[in-house]
């Protein structure tokens, strides 16, 4: 069976991140100097699609590790409603693979004009976004041809981890990042966690996680929609109890994204409650020795990308070219 671009690019992730972490060391140190000199009151994240999902990971990461409030943008406020927002005390982090979407660029320009410190995490060198921001942290994922982002998304998370590790001066996390490429390789070589038998019969399902697990659950749900055409929605497991849990009574299928971190016990207690109501649940927890808790979501996703690509082919779908999608989406 022909190897797809999605599988090829996903498998490139360990070497992409290994090279990125080396190449971006000095850049991260200089960015931290800029950030500390600016002394932001809060952080504002701009992104769409998978980049917006990476922003949710960034929110948890910055609030948990730095204790600084993080808010997500609504790009239409700037590009459609022509309204500016006061961001003079904000560190604005813009996340984009292409750096060319008009609404992202418009919002970034408005943020900078408002007095924000703007930093772009972007994969395309010399993008239109690169000319707008105050500084750039390159993702260095290389060209990504498959419609479904894999290595560029994981490279975004690793870039965020490295930046925050330097900002916090967290030597334990910095040292752990050195082992991340090998741990991602271990995930590639691990047994599949998601099965064709579980996925192929579904028309809809829910993906549940807590904290960082919820952050990557959003990306998992998106890929199930993009690659397999399955209606999937992500919830924080805690939020799921506030209403949506009633869906379990209709034999709801659930993917459980369990991360071994501070959220583990609370998440497990909720999942026990949900499962007792009759849900059909698949846990995609992955264990790799000596993994830092903040790196574990990346390892789970690495395995998931390969699983979902394989399942799509078994379903006679083309994961490289999902119907109705194109690689670069430009919105106003």
């Amino acid at each position: 069976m022909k190897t797809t671009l999605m599988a090829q690019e996903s498998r490139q992730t360990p070497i992409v991140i290994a090279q990125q972490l080396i190449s971006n060391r000095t850049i991260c140190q200089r960015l931290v100097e800029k950030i500390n000199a600016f002394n932001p009151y809060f952080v504002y994240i701009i992104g769409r699609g998978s980049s917006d999902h990476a922003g949710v990971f960034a929110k948890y990461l910055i609030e948990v590790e730095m204790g600084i409030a993080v808010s997500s943008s609504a790009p239409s406020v700037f590009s459609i409603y022509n309204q500016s927002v006061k961001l003079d005390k904000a560190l604005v982090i813009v996340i984009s693979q292409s750096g060319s979407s008009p609404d992202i660029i418009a919002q970034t320009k408005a943020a900078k004009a408002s007095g924000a410190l703007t930093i772009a995490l972007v994969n395309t060198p010399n993008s239109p976004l690169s000319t707008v921001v105050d500084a750039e942290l390159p993702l260095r994922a290389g060209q990504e041809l498959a419609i479904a982002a894999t290595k560029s998304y994981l490279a975004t998370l690793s870039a965020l981890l490295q930046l925050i590790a330097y900002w916090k001066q967290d030597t334990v996390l910095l040292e752990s990042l050195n082992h991340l490429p090998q741990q991602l390789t271990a995930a590639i070589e691990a047994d599949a966690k998601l099965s064709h038998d579980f996925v192929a019969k579904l028309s809809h399902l829910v993906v549940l996680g807590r904290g960082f697990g919820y952050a990557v659950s959003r990306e998992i749900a998106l890929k199930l929609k993009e690659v397999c055409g399955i209606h999937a929605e992500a919830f924080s497991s805690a939020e799921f109890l506030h209403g949506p849990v009633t869906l379990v009574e209709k034999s709801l299928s659930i993917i459980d994204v369990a991360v071994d971190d501070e959220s583990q016990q609370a998440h497990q207690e909720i999942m026990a409650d949900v499962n007792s109501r009759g849900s059909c649940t698949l846990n995609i927890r992955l264990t790799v020795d000596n993994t830092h808790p903040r790196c574990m979501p990346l390892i789970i996703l690495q395995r998931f990308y390969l699983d979902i690509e394989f399942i799509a082919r078994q379903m006679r779908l083309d994961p490289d070219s999902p119907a109705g999608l194109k690689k670069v989406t430009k919105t106003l």
Side-chain angles (χ1 to χ4, degrees):
M1 190 177 289
K2 181 182 177 182
T3 303
T4 65
L5 290 169
M6 182 180 178
Q8 292 176 34
E9 291 171 352
S10 179
R11 290 178 179 274
Q12 292 167 7
T13 302
I15 191 166
V16 162
I17 289 179
Q19 294 170 347
Q20 177 204 68
L21 292 171
I22 294 170
S23 299
N24 282 355
R25 284 173 183 166
T26 301
I27 294 174
C28 283
Q29 291 168 343
R30 290 174 178 169
L31 283 175
V32 167
E33 291 175 1
K34 284 181 176 288
I35 293 169
N36 287 335
F38 184 76
N39 191 25
Y41 286 10
F42 67 103
V43 177
Y44 193 72
I45 308 285
I46 299 173
R48 286 232 190 252
S50 287
S51 295
D52 180 53
H53 300 162
V56 178
F57 182 88
K59 175 179 174 65
Y60 279 102
L61 185 63
I62 294 168
E63 291 190 347
V64 169
E65 300 298 336
M66 303 303 302
I68 298 175
V70 180
S71 174
S72 296
S73 72
S76 297
V77 170
F78 296 79
S79 61
I80 299 296
Y81 295 98
N82 297 314
Q83 181 60 267
S84 60
V85 176
K86 287 192 64 176
L87 295 169
D88 54 300
K89 298 296 184 181
L91 167 63
V92 172
I93 298 178
V94 191
I95 304 173
S96 174
Q97 292 178 48
S98 68
S100 61
S101 188
D103 54 349
I104 298 299
I105 294 171
Q107 187 172 15
T108 304
K109 287 180 177 179
K112 187 174 179 181
S114 180
L117 174 64
T118 55
I119 296 175
L121 277 68
V122 63
N123 193 44
T124 303
N126 304 312
S127 71
L129 179 62
S130 304
T131 65
V132 174
V133 293
D134 295 303
E136 183 176 334
L137 182 59
L139 299 181
R140 305 185 190 275
Q143 189 176 25
E144 192 172 53
L145 298 175
I147 298 294
T150 56
K151 63 177 180 175
S152 64
Y153 178 82
L154 288 169
T156 304
L157 301 195
S158 61
L160 287 164
L161 283 167
Q162 187 178 34
L163 177 62
I164 300 311
Y166 275 109
W167 190 4
K168 189 182 178 184
Q169 299 182 330
D170 188 335
T171 56
V172 174
L173 180 53
L174 283 170
E175 176 59 28
S176 297
L177 286 171
N178 292 331
H179 303 291
L180 179 57
Q182 296 94 322
Q183 291 163 344
L184 291 168
T185 299
I188 290 171
E189 296 170 352
D191 293 336
K193 296 297 179 182
L194 197 64
S195 69
H196 172 267
D197 289 344
F198 180 84
V199 173
K201 63 185 179 184
L202 300 175
S203 57
H204 58 85
L205 80 158
V206 164
V207 188
L208 298 183
R210 188 77 185 266
F212 293 93
Y214 164 64
V216 296
S217 291
R218 291 167 61 100
E219 173 66 5
I220 288 171
L222 176 63
K223 288 299 183 290
L224 285 160
K225 296 171 190 171
E226 286 181 336
V227 179
C228 291
I230 294 171
H231 176 226
E233 296 299 332
F235 292 90
S236 162
S237 55
E239 194 65 31
F240 188 68
L241 292 182
H242 291 263
V245 72
T246 58
L247 296 172
V248 174
E249 304 299 327
K250 298 184 178 181
S251 301
L252 182 69
S253 293
I254 295 173
I255 292 178
D256 176 8
V257 185
V259 176
D260 294 341
D261 65 6
E262 300 93 322
S263 70
Q264 183 180 25
Q265 181 176 345
H267 176 67
Q268 287 179 339
E269 290 173 356
I270 292 172
M271 291 309 303
D273 180 359
V274 171
N275 293 335
S276 72
R277 304 180 190 221
S279 67
C280 177
T281 300
L282 178 68
N283 186 302
I284 60 170
R285 179 173 179 260
L286 189 64
T287 300
V288 177
D289 291 340
N290 301 315
T291 303
H292 193 287
R294 302 297 174 255
C295 297
M296 183 53 70
L298 284 72
I299 293 167
I300 292 171
L301 267 180
Q302 176 71 84
R303 183 63 256 167
F304 169 80
Y305 283 147
L306 294 173
D307 289 350
I308 202 67
E309 181 273 342
F310 181 68
I311 291 168
R313 288 190 286 113
Q314 288 182 304
M315 295 171 65
R316 301 188 181 280
L317 299 171
D318 182 1
D320 286 341
S321 187
L325 297 178
K326 54 185 178 180
K327 185 59 183 174
V328 178
T329 302
K330 295 183 178 183
T331 48
L332 293 176

